[in-house]
Amino acid sequence: MSDRMGPAHVFVVDDDTSSRELLTRILSGEGHRVTALADGHEALARLGADGPPDLVVSDIRMGEVDGLQLTDALRERAPDTPVLLVTAFGNIDGAVEAIRRGAFDYISKPYDVDGIKVVVARALEQRRLALENRALRRDLRDKYRLENVVGRSEAMLQVYKTAARVAATDATVLIQGESGTGKELVARAIHAASPRAQRPFVAVDCGAIAEGVLESELFGHARGAFTGAQAMRRGLFEEANQGTLFLDEIGDVGQNLQARLLRALQEGTIRRVGTNETLAVDVRVVAASNRDLEQAVKEGRFREDLFYRLNVVTIRIPPLRDRREDIPLLAEHFAAKHGRSEGAAISPAARDLLVAYDWPGNVRELENVIARALALNPSGVVTPEDLAEHVRGARPAAASLAVVAGAAQERPTLAELERRYAAQVLQETGGNKTRAAEVLGIDRKTLYRLLGDEKE
């Protein structure tokens, strides 16, 4: 697929001829190229011959290879191809199982034509984003060595895009995000992609060093500048000359040191502590903070002029709880990293708990949990029992279902589905409630209840 919502190649798999032809007409009418197939065997054979399509729409109940088995095979052989499974009205258990097995969404019979178009467009858009994300990550990994930044969510896609675009410039970058989200990884990727890549990358945690010591660390000091300064020392600005200086937790820097930082950024010069000698430095600064610096400016705790000097380009890294779809990928990444064997993996039940947990420590906490679990479990497969107690206490059902479905969307309740279906049948019978009740196989009183109308 070349453009955002352009034509796609779609497999329609259904052993019911009329249903298959109807879906084919609907999707062909949208400009898509449709391959109609009578069962799962045909779909798998065609997959082997022609390669994966952009989308598969398949009935759940078919012959030897049903829709769930086809979904399993596609997840193995064509993981980037979203699957929409068609289920009979009211078969909620089948729909939920389909999503748990990796289907993107489900479509209920009888078909809502507009609804089919919407869900197909959403599935194709997710595929486009996934492929674009993969291409960007490959580009960043190959060129910028960003192999430890993992994620396929749209929010992380924006992080990758901004990092790639700003890397070639000398612009000052401010990376914002909670602790543990991977701010330094992004800073290192920007440096590695820049023309300064062969020069030093120097990182300092401003929140971990007392202000008086931090001033000397950054700017250096002359011999005798203070008690214990027995020799001249170069500062980190000088160490990072022609390279990149990463100022982590910049929001913790005090007002006096903020003024010196502003002068260094504006003038490109520094003075060692205890001397008036000015030294020119050529340093690209990337700063990071887990604090709201704009609020700190309003409260007078952070200099406004320094904020705007740092905030030339902003990259916001979302917390893990806001990109839960990345959790399974990250968990598998850390399992491969910390596992004692190549078979290290996460069980489905453990994955659901990981997805449901809110991760206040973000990616760093997730890595620690996986490393601990694998250290305690020699089998290499993480189960719920291997997880820390506070993670096991998470409630997995709703959160993990939405993540596996690939979209943060609200699903209708069974009662709402019944109401919609009853209203559709009533419309098809021209408003004849007696006839609608006969078609539905219920009495008029039940029909009134489904429609929310207790009057006969």
Side-chain angles (χ1 to χ4, degrees):
M1 272 191 331
S2 58
D3 56 305
R4 185 176 179 86
M5 296 300 291
H9 182 202
V10 182
F11 280 6
V12 170
V13 189
D14 199 324
D15 56 4
D16 181 85
T17 303
S18 60
S19 176
R20 186 170 67 245
E21 290 177 350
L22 175 58
L23 282 171
T24 298
R25 284 199 303 273
I26 293 171
L27 297 176
S28 296
E30 290 294 288
H32 301 306
R33 180 166 62 91
V34 178
T35 298
L37 302 160
D39 56 42
H41 271 307
E42 282 192 18
L44 292 176
R46 194 62 177 264
L47 182 69
D50 297 347
D54 296 308
L55 174 69
V56 172
V57 182
S58 171
D59 193 20
I60 288 184
R61 295 183 179 177
M62 295 185 292
E64 292 183 20
V65 179
D66 64 18
L68 293 176
Q69 292 169 314
L70 179 59
T71 299
D72 290 343
L74 285 163
R75 295 280 65 77
E76 189 73 27
R77 296 168 57 179
D80 290 325
T81 298
V83 179
L84 299 177
L85 288 179
V86 178
T87 179
F89 167 73
N91 184 15
I92 298 301
D93 289 342
V96 170
E97 178 60 15
I99 290 170
R100 287 196 179 279
R101 297 275 277 270
F104 174 77
D105 208 338
Y106 63 89
I107 301 169
S108 294
K109 293 180 180 179
Y111 299 127
D112 175 350
V113 175
D114 290 335
I116 289 173
K117 293 177 181 178
V118 168
V119 75
V120 165
R122 193 167 63 237
L124 291 173
E125 175 66 1
Q126 179 188 318
R127 172 178 165 80
R128 184 194 69 80
L129 286 171
L131 293 176
E132 183 180 355
N133 191 329
R134 175 174 294 180
L136 279 168
R137 284 186 60 229
R138 184 171 58 247
D139 191 33
L140 284 168
R141 182 177 63 246
D142 293 343
K143 295 182 180 179
Y144 314 143
R145 301 192 297 276
L146 196 59
E147 54 267 78
N148 288 325
V149 179
V150 177
R152 65 177 56 161
S153 62
E154 189 167 4
M156 286 306 294
L157 177 64
Q158 297 307 316
V159 171
Y160 301 148
K161 282 182 177 180
T162 306
R165 289 169 181 164
V166 76
T169 75
D170 251 353
T172 304
V173 180
L174 177 62
I175 304 173
Q176 295 193 297
E178 295 178 4
S179 294
T181 50
K183 297 187 290 294
E184 184 171 343
L185 281 175
V186 175
R188 287 183 180 276
I190 291 171
H191 170 73
S194 74
R196 299 173 179 265
Q198 302 306 313
R199 308 304 297 175
F201 175 90
V202 178
V204 57
D205 185 349
C206 300
I209 305 174
E211 184 167 348
V213 177
L214 181 59
E215 182 178 25
S216 174
E217 284 288 313
L218 291 174
F219 301 109
H221 59 254
R223 180 181 179 182
F226 50 82
T227 302
Q230 298 178 356
M232 183 277 292
R233 180 179 176 183
R234 286 161 39 110
L236 297 181
F237 267 93
E238 291 178 79
E239 296 290 340
N241 194 41
Q242 297 185 327
T244 301
L245 178 61
F246 176 55
L247 302 175
D248 198 8
E249 302 309 343
I250 190 70
D252 292 338
V253 172
Q255 292 277 350
N256 291 336
L257 191 50
Q258 287 177 32
R260 292 203 62 179
L261 282 172
L262 177 63
R263 188 178 307 112
L265 292 173
Q266 285 178 333
E267 300 173 5
T269 60
I270 62 166
R271 288 201 307 268
R272 296 187 185 121
V273 176
T275 179
N276 291 323
E277 181 186 0
T278 299
L279 300 172
V281 289
D282 173 18
V283 175
R284 195 240 186 105
V285 171
V286 177
S289 178
N290 64 3
R291 300 178 181 232
D292 185 342
L293 292 186
E294 290 184 82
Q295 185 62 34
V297 169
K298 292 177 183 177
E299 295 172 358
R301 292 183 290 106
F302 200 84
R303 292 181 64 115
E304 184 175 26
D305 44 9
L306 177 58
F307 172 71
Y308 287 118
R309 177 66 65 171
L310 293 170
N311 193 35
V312 176
V313 176
T314 299
I315 295 177
R316 299 184 187 278
I317 304 180
L320 200 49
R321 63 182 174 276
D322 289 347
R323 52 182 183 107
R324 293 181 191 269
E325 59 266 49
D326 287 339
I327 293 174
L329 184 67
L330 282 160
E332 294 292 348
H333 171 76
F334 293 136
K337 178 180 177 181
H338 295 286
R340 302 180 207 175
S341 65
E342 292 183 4
I346 313 296
S347 71
R351 180 202 63 204
D352 287 349
L353 290 170
L354 295 174
V355 169
Y357 182 59
D358 277 343
W359 300 106
N362 291 292
V363 178
R364 186 184 297 130
E365 182 184 6
L366 173 60
E367 180 172 8
N368 289 340
V369 165
I370 298 300
R372 172 189 179 276
L374 286 168
L376 297 175
N377 184 349
S379 75
V381 178
V382 176
T383 67
E385 292 72 26
D386 301 319
L387 300 176
E389 185 176 351
H390 61 281
V391 178
R392 292 201 305 271
R395 296 185 178 183
S400 83
L401 182 58
V403 168
V404 175
Q409 57 185 358
E410 292 186 5
R411 297 195 174 278
T413 63
L414 179 57
E416 174 63 14
L417 285 170
E418 290 175 338
R419 187 196 66 75
R420 291 182 192 175
Y421 185 44
Q424 180 178 334
V425 172
L426 182 61
Q427 183 180 6
E428 291 172 353
T429 59
N432 186 325
K433 294 180 179 177
T434 300
R435 176 62 184 146
E438 291 176 355
V439 171
L440 291 166
I442 58 178
D443 56 36
R444 284 171 58 93
K445 184 175 182 180
T446 303
L447 175 62
Y448 282 117
R449 180 182 59 77
L450 289 176
L451 296 171
D453 184 0
E454 297 298 333
K455 297 179 181 179
E456 298 201 24

